């Protein structure tokens, strides 16, 4: 049984930092492309960042470029999202997702392309 669990969310002030983690079990972690998504109340889910199976390729949404860094440790079955310079508009539930496609193709931001999801971790940025 595949389990995906996010952690690391919380309340932070405008300009602050957080690091999210996502651990996955029940799958061959290194064979999966991984991504972070987020969904704010009343808004559609959006892709934040994607990382290839080796970690050599990363893609970011415009909203995340220059502030967020995605990384993975296949030995620990763990995905990370380092978030700096957080803004109130970053407030959302953040989700980790996995799909058996090694690379961040043009479809990386389409949620329906992912097989496995975590339950989410809440990030709240106060102004």
């Amino acid at each position: 049984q595949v389990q995906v669990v996010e952690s690391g969310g919380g309340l932070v002030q405008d300009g602050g930092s957080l690091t999210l983690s996502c651990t996955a079990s029940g799958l061959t972690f290194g064979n999966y492309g991984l991504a972070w998504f987020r969904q704010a109340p009343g808004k559609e889910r959006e892709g934040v960042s994607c990382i290839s199976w080796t970690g050599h390729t990363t893609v970011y949404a415009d909203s995340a470029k220059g502030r967020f860094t995605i990384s993975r440790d296949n030995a620990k079955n763990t995905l990370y999202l380092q978030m700096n310079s957080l803004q109130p508009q970053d407030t959302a539930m953040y989700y980790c997702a996995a799909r058996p496609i090694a690379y961040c193709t043009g479809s990386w931001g389409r949620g329906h392309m992912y097989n496995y999801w975590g339950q989410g971790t809440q990030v709240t940025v106060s102004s």
Side-chain angles (χ1 to χ4, degrees), residues 2-32:
V2 176
Q3 287 191 320
V4 179
V5 179
E6 303 94 337
S7 62
L11 175 63
V12 64
Q13 290 187 334
D14 191 354
S17 299
L18 279 176
T19 299
L20 306 183
S21 299
C22 168
T23 59
S25 59
L27 51 76
T28 305
F29 190 79
N31 289 351
Y32 281 73

Side-chain angles (χ1 to χ4, degrees), residues 30-104:
N31 289 351
Y32 281 73
L34 304 172
W36 287 99
F37 286 79
R38 68 185 183 185
Q39 187 166 21
K43 295 188 177 181
E44 293 187 355
R45 181 177 57 194
E46 64 171 341
V48 175
S49 184
C50 174
I51 188 166
S52 63
W53 66 296
T54 62
H56 290 164
T57 301
T58 58
V59 180
Y60 296 91
D62 288 344
S63 60
K65 287 178 182 176
R67 300 187 301 128
F68 294 2
T69 302
I70 190 171
S71 62
R72 65 190 293 168
D73 185 338
N74 288 343
K76 296 182 178 179
N77 281 19
T78 303
L79 172 72
Y80 303 97
L81 185 68
Q82 171 69 43
M83 304 186 293
N84 298 324
S85 301
L86 283 163
Q87 303 164 356
Q89 52 265 42
D90 294 316
T91 295
M93 186 72 79
Y94 283 71
Y95 298 92
C96 169
R99 63 176 185 173
I101 298 175
Y103 300 100
C104 297

